[in-house]
Amino acid sequence: MIPAMNTARATSFGAWADEYDTWRPTYPDVAVDWLLPPDGARVVEIGAGTGKLTDRLVGRGLDLDVVEPDGRMLGVISQRHPWLRTYEAGATSLPLGDASVDAVVVADAWHWFPKEEAAAEVARVLRPGGWLGCVWNVPVLEHDWEWQALRLDPALQRPADLDPLDRLGLSTGHAEQRSFRWTWTLTPQQWRGFVSTVSHVRLLPEDECRAALDETEQLVARACVSAGTSAAPLTHDALCVRWYPET
């Protein structure tokens, strides 16, 4: 369920940056800790979106740079953390010097990048011993209604044991991966909000998008009634990969 790169979808999120920031999930601390080097190192986050991972990085003693190609998304980060060094730039043209950072981190964005070009740029800015750390929030769905609510085809699920280099779309260097399971609980309206920020739904024609979101809300509402609750859990695996370039 990590999609292939599609330019229209990759550039679609800025148009609803505020909604994206409201409804998208965060990342568990244990996953963030695994992605980061110790001792307050210099880190750059690329493809930062509206800062769902950035919020977790701030306050950890890092020397942090934030890179995002869409100024509308980056503006949300700048409003919340005006002291951060932020750059409107892409993954293939990082505004940083050679061997200047200890880690590059990416949250739910690596699949949008041109892989080999981005990896070469990451390798350029990394100091010896540094790494690229990527995380994806991957839904763990046990019931048919969950697949339907998220408008996903079960056939699209990628195997959990996929080689980490293959997961990154790279053939050089070496990589390792970990997965951290976590659950958040959402009302039917919150499920609707979350699904409204998923590109394969949001980019539907307006009437189809509204119908899809209505169906999502109804499916979750029925699940809540069956469970006797006002909200339904949504489990994710925070799937993390660390990549070390060849030296």
Side-chain angles (χ1 to χ4, degrees):
M1 292 186 297
I2 298 170
M5 188 178 74
N6 177 285
T7 301
R9 288 173 61 189
T11 58
S12 66
F13 300 104
W16 57 88
D18 289 337
E19 295 170 67
Y20 187 97
D21 192 55
T22 298
W23 299 116
R24 281 294 176 118
T26 185
Y27 302 90
D29 283 332
V30 64
V32 178
D33 289 341
W34 191 82
L35 294 175
L36 295 174
D39 303 326
R42 188 176 182 194
V43 172
V44 58
E45 181 187 4
I46 61 176
T50 63
K52 306 305 284 190
L53 177 60
T54 313
D55 293 344
R56 288 289 192 245
L57 301 177
V58 169
R60 289 174 178 260
L62 302 172
D63 183 9
L64 181 62
D65 295 273
V66 178
V67 177
E68 163 58 41
D70 192 311
R72 298 164 296 184
M73 306 283 275
L74 193 63
V76 177
I77 297 176
S78 296
Q79 289 176 5
R80 192 156 58 241
H81 307 296
W83 60 89
L84 283 180
R85 296 188 301 269
T86 59
Y87 308 90
E88 188 173 340
T92 59
S93 57
L94 299 178
L96 301 168
D98 295 353
S100 59
V101 302
D102 298 291
V104 176
V105 294
V106 184
D108 277 293
W110 181 260
H111 52 277
W112 299 123
F113 303 159
K115 309 297 188 300
E116 297 295 341
E117 295 93 330
E121 186 69 346
V122 167
R124 179 186 68 80
V125 303
L126 282 174
R127 292 170 178 156
W131 64 72
L132 166 70
C134 296
V135 58
W136 290 269
N137 268 323
V138 181
V140 180
L141 308 177
E142 298 180 351
H143 307 289
D144 288 343
W145 71 263
E146 294 174 309
W147 290 98
Q148 296 169 25
L150 292 178
R151 311 291 292 184
L152 291 173
D153 181 349
L156 296 178
Q157 188 170 19
R158 300 185 72 173
D161 60 352
L162 187 68
D163 181 88
L165 273 180
D166 290 340
R167 198 176 295 279
L168 293 175
L170 299 176
S171 58
T172 60
H174 68 279
E176 57 184 332
Q177 62 185 351
R178 290 279 301 275
S179 185
F180 304 92
R181 186 155 293 186
W182 67 284
T183 300
W184 55 330
T185 302
L186 305 171
T187 66
Q189 295 77 23
Q190 289 169 328
W191 272 76
R192 181 190 183 107
F194 169 55
V195 176
S196 76
T197 68
V198 177
S199 60
H200 70 263
V201 174
R202 190 58 175 257
L203 294 180
L204 291 170
E206 185 176 353
D207 57 340
E208 293 182 34
C209 178
R210 187 182 305 110
L213 295 176
D214 288 345
E215 182 183 18
T216 290
E217 189 169 351
Q218 293 162 9
L219 285 164
V220 180
R222 287 199 291 269
C224 289
V225 169
S226 296
T229 62
S230 61
L234 177 54
T235 297
H236 280 82
D237 280 336
L239 177 60
C240 301
V241 180
R242 288 197 303 230
W243 175 75
Y244 308 84
E246 292 178 341
T247 55

